[in-house]
Amino acid sequence: MYDFVVVANRLPVDRVGERWQASPGGLVAALAPVLRARGGCWVGWPGETNTTLAPFSTGGIELVPVALDETDYTDFYEGFSNSTLWPLYHDLIVAPQYDQTWWERYVAVNERFALSVEKQAAHGATVWVQDYQLQLVPGLLRKRRPDLKAGFFLHIPFPSPDLFRQLPWREEILSSLEACDLIGFQRGTDEQNFRGLLPADASVRTGTFPISIDPKAITPGDPARVREAVGDPELLMLGVDRMDYTKGILQRLLAFEQLLESGVDATLIQLATPSRERIEHYRKTRREVEAAVGRINGRFGRIGRPVIHYVHHGVAKEELGSFYAAADIMLVTPFKDGMNLVAKEYVACHPDGSGALVLSEFAGAAVELHEAYLCNPFEVDSIVRAMHSAAHPDPQRMRAMYEWVTTHDVDAWAASFLEAL
Ligand code: ADP
Ligand code: G6P
């Protein structure tokens, strides 16, 4: 039994056949160091269907696996979580689908997670529920284990009340969240959107806690090797994302193409981790990105010298630091993003004031990193203008952001949430 239990849809590691590998996304990157430092256990899904595993520990974290079968995967994970809630909470970049069968599976899987938490949590323990996949867990815990202290943190944006009201199951989700002792959001506007749905005298406590990174986990590595590998370009730009339609990767490529048309000599590295690959909108995003990479390389590349170096797989954290440190300009252009930890990781790899960050106004990170070169990703020209400015950066801007990111790290984030709880 544990006094501190984190529950998230994913464990920090994924089972791939006989091996374990770090699982994707910002939630895991942020929470793994928190659990390592504080102890307790992490309840989550091991990333492979039909795998029943006993609790085990890895990398200094106690893990309690929750099994998902193929129908859970299609209806709870791909369906309600990622084809209903994800697009709805990201302001309808694609249309959400509302399906009663998916909802029923979401209820059933949330019950399974709650049951597993109940088994692990000691009397009076603190349970920290993470993200949109598990919004019913707080309500279930409140009914069955009133002794527990329950906090919830939403890693993604919370939509405006008018959008949220589209959801046929809005009452069930709201009443579960209201059972929390504390609900945390990334930005003040997310918190206000949520409060806009509650009666004026609602007593549930909410707060804004912008998530951050562990600067020790990401270090500059060997930037010279990266620059040499891509032919020592004049100006090196970088994009690092999950392959997701929220990230604005295609818009960024179109802006890069315009920059080349205007005669600027630049090279782009785009690293894109595969994500949610069976969902049609994700497939379409990948097709469009890959078609644009091919077209732009065809127009501007030479034999042995592409202008875009694109990989569609994950990169080890040690290697990622070398890419961040090597890049003159980091391109973070999501249409909507809860925070975007990539932006903060890039800043953490530039302690000397080098580099520049082009950042979407619609990323949570823009609230804190206002010294970035901000752009509107819905307007390609706006991205191009930010790229031009970032090509002649003011080192004071990166220094200020570095100071902010290294003093407002993920330990400070977790401490502020848990103290408030
Ligand atoms: P999201 O949570 O939506 O995926 P974030 O930017 O907040 O977006 O977090 C992404 C995390 O995943 C970061 O910690 C980043 O280092 C990691 N990541 C993203 N793309 C890659 C990649 N191609 N290889 C390795 N790590 C990646
Ligand atoms: C975002 C979400 C996380 C999710 C991650 C990776 O960071 O907020 O909850 O785990 O993306 O997505 P995936 O669907 O692979 O878990």
Side-chain angles (χ1 to χ4, degrees), residues 8-11 14 23-28 45 73 77 81-82 86 90 130-133 154-156 186 242 244 247 274-276 282 337-338 341:
N9 178 48
R10 258 185 205 283
L11 288 174
D14 275 348
S23 43
L27 182 158
V28 160
W45 169 58
Y73 190 83
Y77 173 76
S81 296
N82 289 310
W86 181 269
H90 286 87
Q130 310 291 325
D131 231 359
Y132 61 101
Q133 302 94 339
L154 184 68
H155 292 254
I156 67 174
Q186 298 277 27
R242 272 183 312 101
D244 194 301
K247 302 289 182 184
S275 190
R276 306 173 193 167
Y282 286 78
D337 209 330
L341 291 180

Side-chain angles (χ1 to χ4, degrees), residues 39-363:
C41 78
W42 182 319
V43 174
W45 169 58
E48 208 178 52
T49 51
N50 300 318
T51 310
T52 308
L53 295 166
F56 65 105
S57 79
T58 186
I61 306 179
E62 304 290 323
L63 305 179
V64 180
V66 175
L68 296 189
D69 66 20
E70 205 32 58
T71 314
D72 299 329
Y73 190 83
T74 53
D75 292 5
F76 157 76
Y77 173 76
E78 296 183 318
F80 200 77
S81 296
N82 289 310
S83 301
T84 306
L85 295 174
W86 181 269
L88 178 66
Y89 284 26
H90 286 87
D91 287 357
L92 275 44
I93 298 167
V94 306
Q97 286 168 255
Y98 302 118
D99 180 315
Q100 180 65 24
T101 321
W102 290 355
W103 163 252
E104 284 162 15
R105 234 347 126 133
Y106 185 79
V107 175
V109 172
N110 271 252
E111 277 169 355
R112 201 177 310 153
F113 275 88
L115 208 63
S116 176
V117 169
E118 281 172 51
K119 288 198 193 129
Q120 301 302 327
H123 185 83
T126 296
V127 177
W128 195 2
V129 184
Q130 310 291 325
D131 231 359
Y132 61 101
Q133 302 94 339
L134 301 181
Q135 291 174 107
L136 300 178
V137 170
L140 293 163
L141 290 179
R142 183 56 74 224
K143 276 193 212 115
R144 299 202 289 240
R145 286 287 302 273
D147 61 295
L148 300 175
K149 196 171 268 291
F152 177 85
F153 187 79
L154 184 68
H155 292 254
I156 67 174
F158 194 87
S160 77
D162 266 355
L163 293 186
F164 184 80
R165 285 194 196 102
Q166 290 189 3
L167 190 64
W169 309 278
R170 58 199 187 181
E171 297 301 339
E172 287 89 333
I173 286 184
L174 275 185
S175 75
S176 169
L177 293 177
E178 282 184 74
C180 289
D181 293 291
L182 177 65
I183 312 176
F185 296 92
Q186 298 277 27
R187 299 171 312 160
T189 43
D190 300 319
E191 187 186 357
Q192 284 152 23
N193 285 345
F194 178 77
R195 293 221 74 105
L197 292 158
L198 304 178
D201 59 351
S203 61
V204 64
R205 288 173 60 225
T206 57
T208 297
F209 304 91
I211 202 168
S212 193
I213 58 160
D214 174 14
K216 296 185 293 300
I218 189 104
T219 46
D222 187 357
R225 195 189 47 78
V226 170
R227 293 192 77 103
E228 195 191 319
V230 295
D232 280 316
E234 267 300 294
L235 188 62
L236 180 60
M237 301 191 174
L238 175 66
V240 176
D241 315 76
R242 272 183 312 101
M243 180 65 89
D244 194 301
Y245 52 79
T246 59
K247 302 289 182 184
I249 303 172
L250 177 63
Q251 266 51 26
R252 178 188 311 167
L253 295 175
L254 299 178
F256 181 69
E257 185 174 25
Q258 277 194 28
L259 191 79
L260 299 181
E261 278 167 6
S262 74
V264 173
D265 181 9
T267 297
L268 171 63
I269 300 177
Q270 176 64 53
L271 310 178
T273 322
S275 190
R276 306 173 193 167
E277 290 211 275
R278 301 195 316 195
I279 300 175
E280 178 50 27
H281 284 297
Y282 286 78
R283 290 174 184 267
K284 178 164 175 275
T285 300
R286 178 176 175 192
R287 282 196 301 273
E288 288 171 351
V289 164
E290 293 184 348
V293 168
R295 188 190 65 248
I296 298 167
N297 274 334
R299 279 187 73 191
F300 296 98
R302 288 175 289 122
I303 300 301
R305 283 283 171 272
V307 285
I308 304 177
H309 297 257
Y310 161 74
V311 297
H312 184 243
H313 49 74
V315 170
K317 268 276 174 315
E318 308 80 67
E319 234 189 310
L320 200 53
S322 308
F323 284 102
Y324 287 139
D328 301 304
I329 301 179
M330 182 79 212
L331 304 174
V332 177
T333 57
F335 295 122
K336 190 86 187 178
D337 209 330
M339 172 54 63
N340 197 287
L341 291 180
V342 161
K344 291 187 171 180
E345 289 171 355
Y346 175 75
V347 169
C349 290
H350 289 265
D352 56 356
S354 64
L357 175 63
V358 168
L359 179 62
S360 160
E361 291 164 26
F362 300 97

